[in-house]
Amino acid sequence: MSLYVYNSLKRKKERFESLKPGKVGMYVCGVTVYDYCHVGHARVMVVFDIVHRWMKQLGYDVDYVRNFTDVDDKIIKRANERGIAIDVLTNEMIAAFYEDIDSLGCLHPTREPRATEHMPEMIAMIEALVEQGRAYVSGSGDVLYAVRTFDDYGKLSGKNIDDLESGSRVDVDKSKRDPLDFVLWKMAKPGEPAWDSPWGAGRPGWHIECSAMSCSHLGDTFDIHGGGMDLKFPHHENEIAQARAANGGGFARYWLHNGFVNINAEKMSKSLGNFFTIREVTEKYHPEVLRMFMLGTHYRSPLDFSDTALDAAKASLDRLYETMKRCRESEVCHSGNIATPQSSYLPSAFTTAMNDDFNTPEALACLFDICRLLNKGLDSDEDVSMLFDQFRAMTGVLGIVQHDTEAWFKSGDVDSEHIEALINERSAAKKSRDFARADAIRDQLSAEGIILEDSPTGTTWKKA
RNA sequence: GGCAGGGUGGCUCAGUGGUACGGCGGAGGAUUGCAAAUCCUUUAUUCGCGAGUUCGAUUCUCGCCCCUGCCUCCA
């Protein structure tokens, strides 16, 4: 059974074959660290975390590189506004970034280069382009890439240069030979961070950063390049033009793009201002709920963000945790003790779904099928340890139901002593068949957001 | 205007040339003192509209309508 991925470059699903046997090189465009990440960023991280995990599951040795853009206009602007040094800002945001993605259960990439650590590679790449006559110094002193020198320009995004220009919404910069030419090296203005270069002190353009970082870590040709759909043009198009021209390599062989997170059917973005940061959302919902919400939709489709959608994600996750809890408490699950998910435990339908371009909604359907079988078996005291192993293998791959069930249902500011006391009082009332008193206690706790569950072995509680 | 991707039950989301997966929600039942949790049953004669190909299309082809995105920084 082999993996098929949708390759944006070819606009179709293709059988995935790595460049080197058993190894995968993957580069994903990271974030520009000037502010907290929003849910849209979270989606990229979760989507490619799934890709990362599944590749590993298939036995690949994955070299996953994801960058930090830590030099950029917006960073300079924000640092100035806050009156702090640029590295203070970027370090603060990188720390926040880790908090956020860790909470979402994303594994760390193997390498996380920062743009500022790769100046020599960027400069070398620009020099190569200048030597080839593909780059030139404009009237303003910036070094620009002449897009018309690259025959395949527009191939990834399915655009041609003439169409782009006729529909262009950008004012034409007179110093450009062609309106679509983009900046490789920017001349420094006073007070801005700058690095020495053959063209004077300045800093790199955004696009060259990714070309240089990906190639320097993964080689001139590597397997996968990923990012949000909005990066396809011009960012990824420009990356291709730079890297393939400068190194003569093939650059990325498979391009994967995830869909957006929308709000009211409109793209969530900084510029529209209709965004929620990850930390805003996780104040109200457990981060794993956010992850679950994302897995419920195929990664290439748009994902509409709303409280109702998160509530539904929470309800479905609760269901899985409920089953996990029952299994943990059940003696008939004792033999299920695999340390790490093993492919042999994964149902073939699940593997098929994941191999079909990481179809997580389908994979979740398999998981819920197992969940139901598990509950059914538990209801009738059957040995469900095999199912339990499957269940954990699947949740392990998806990175959900990874928290302690006690913590899941009881986390937050609750006074458990108070609750336990009331539960004891209610049990006594029940024993003496004082159901009015018992129900009053249950109603009281319910009003406090606590739900009681009676079972033959006693009463347990959880947060609503 | 150019290009890309969509329109599937109350919501959400898969999928397939032979009447449609899962989740959330609703209804009924089992269980429970009553609930909760769990299980069972049920909830789309139908997959934007029209035409074509076909024994047969939601799935293929063409046309149309509508939505979103990209064409500027953006995940």
Side-chain angles (χ1 to χ4, degrees):
Chain A
M1 209 186 304
S2 41
L3 172 66
Y4 282 78
V5 301
Y6 183 88
N7 187 353
S8 299
L9 200 54
K10 308 278 181 61
R11 289 185 194 78
K12 63 177 183 192
K13 276 185 204 170
E14 291 185 321
R15 186 192 170 121
F16 178 79
E17 287 172 80
S18 63
L19 197 58
K20 298 172 199 152
K23 289 181 187 297
V24 169
M26 173 163 87
Y27 184 88
V28 173
C29 291
V31 291
T32 300
V33 280
Y34 71 103
D35 205 346
Y36 295 123
C37 287
H38 63 234
V39 179
H41 298 112
R43 189 172 192 198
V44 191
M45 303 310 152
V46 170
V47 163
F48 287 99
D49 182 55
I50 291 293
V51 173
H52 182 198
R53 284 167 182 262
W54 189 245
M55 289 287 185
K56 284 170 69 165
Q57 180 65 42
L58 293 177
Y60 287 109
D61 176 12
V62 186
D63 195 355
Y64 175 14
V65 179
R66 184 181 60 207
N67 73 296
F68 286 114
T69 295
D70 60 351
V71 239
D72 164 273
D73 289 344
K74 289 191 288 286
I75 294 174
I76 296 169
K77 183 166 175 267
R78 181 62 57 88
N80 287 339
E81 283 167 5
R82 292 182 52 185
I84 56 177
I86 283 168
D87 63 330
V88 172
L89 174 67
T90 55
N91 285 329
E92 179 189 323
M93 288 306 154
I94 287 171
F97 174 84
Y98 280 123
E99 281 174 21
D100 290 342
I101 59 151
D102 286 350
S103 77
L104 290 168
C106 295
L107 304 177
H108 285 206
T110 38
R111 298 184 243 194
E112 300 180 80
R114 300 186 186 193
T116 50
E117 294 165 347
H118 290 270
M119 289 300 156
E121 292 92 330
M122 294 174 203
I123 290 168
M125 196 173 252
I126 298 170
E127 279 185 304
L129 294 171
V130 170
E131 275 167 30
Q132 290 179 25
R134 295 179 191 274
Y136 62 95
V137 179
S138 76
S140 57
D142 294 342
V143 183
L144 302 179
Y145 189 109
V147 293
R148 286 192 186 269
T149 65
F150 189 71
D151 290 341
D152 280 348
Y153 195 79
K155 201 177 162 200
L156 172 70
S157 50
K159 299 176 187 304
N160 72 66
I161 297 177
D162 298 317
D163 285 348
L164 283 166
E165 288 182 2
S166 62
S168 177
R169 292 184 267 157
V170 187
D171 292 335
V172 177
D173 178 344
K174 289 281 189 288
S175 66
K176 288 184 177 181
R177 287 183 194 169
D178 190 285
L180 291 167
D181 290 351
F182 58 90
V183 180
L184 294 165
W185 190 261
K186 240 177 203 178
M187 291 308 290
K189 296 193 188 84
E192 287 183 351
W195 286 260
D196 286 332
S197 82
W199 316 281
R203 60 194 155 90
W206 176 43
H207 311 299
I208 198 74
E209 294 181 3
C210 282
S211 295
M213 283 188 273
S214 55
C215 291
S216 77
H217 283 97
L218 299 170
D220 294 347
T221 304
F222 55 92
D223 297 302
I224 297 173
H225 192 126
M229 212 83 97
D230 48 356
L231 297 188
K232 214 189 221 180
F233 188 90
H235 185 55
H236 291 161
E237 199 70 71
N238 292 352
E239 276 192 61
I240 291 171
Q242 294 163 336
R244 290 196 15 215
N247 317 311
F251 202 45
R253 302 162 62 235
Y254 299 89
W255 286 83
L256 273 54
H257 292 100
N258 65 276
F260 300 125
V261 176
N262 295 159
I263 291 184
N264 297 325
E266 207 175 38
K267 178 184 166 186
M268 176 185 290
S269 72
K270 289 260 168 96
S271 36
L272 289 172
N274 60 344
F275 64 91
F276 291 95
T277 62
I278 296 172
R279 37 197 64 208
E280 277 171 332
V281 175
T282 54
E283 270 175 27
K284 192 172 168 193
Y285 295 93
H286 191 288
E288 209 177 76
V289 170
L290 196 50
R291 186 180 177 97
M292 183 69 178
F293 162 66
M294 288 175 175
L295 299 183
T297 302
H298 186 90
Y299 77 90
R300 284 189 280 115
S301 300
L303 179 58
D304 224 54
F305 182 87
S306 67
D307 274 9
T308 356
L310 288 174
D311 288 339
K314 181 188 183 299
S316 54
L317 239 198
D318 278 345
R319 173 139 184 247
L320 297 174
Y321 268 102
E322 202 79 54
T323 300
M324 177 62 102
K325 186 179 158 206
R326 291 186 73 189
C327 288
R328 292 281 184 211
E329 288 164 357
S330 166
E331 285 174 17
V332 290
C333 282
H334 61 279
S335 63
N337 56 2
I338 52 172
T340 50
Q342 292 175 24
S343 51
S344 58
Y345 290 116
L346 293 172
S348 62
F350 181 92
T351 302
T352 302
M354 292 301 283
N355 274 334
D356 181 16
D357 197 28
F358 315 100
N359 192 336
T360 52
E362 189 69 38
L364 281 176
C366 298
L367 176 61
F368 279 102
D369 286 342
I370 296 297
C371 179
R372 172 169 297 106
L373 290 174
L374 215 34
N375 282 320
K376 216 168 160 178
L378 252 14
D379 279 353
S380 51
D381 275 335
E382 288 164 24
D383 182 353
V384 291
S385 46
M386 288 279 286
L387 289 168
F388 188 41
D389 284 339
Q390 293 187 319
F391 183 83
R392 291 197 299 161
M394 288 188 276
T395 52
V397 167
L398 297 173
I400 51 173
V401 201
Q402 297 301 295
H403 297 275
D404 181 73
T405 53
E406 283 287 299
W408 179 261
F409 287 116
K410 299 182 177 179
S411 68
D413 50 336
V414 285
D415 183 351
S416 50
E417 278 183 29
H418 161 246
I419 295 166
E420 299 291 348
L422 284 171
I423 286 177
N424 288 337
E425 192 188 334
R426 177 168 169 274
S427 298
K430 273 174 64 177
K431 211 167 182 178
S432 57
R433 304 196 64 79
D434 181 0
F435 294 123
R437 178 63 190 144
D439 291 351
I441 291 170
R442 189 170 59 196
D443 290 345
Q444 182 195 335
L445 284 171
S446 171
E448 293 171 21
I450 302 299
I451 294 171
L452 297 186
E453 293 181 1
D454 291 338
S455 79
T457 53
T459 300
T460 57
W461 61 273
K462 66 179 182 183
K463 287 191 74 177

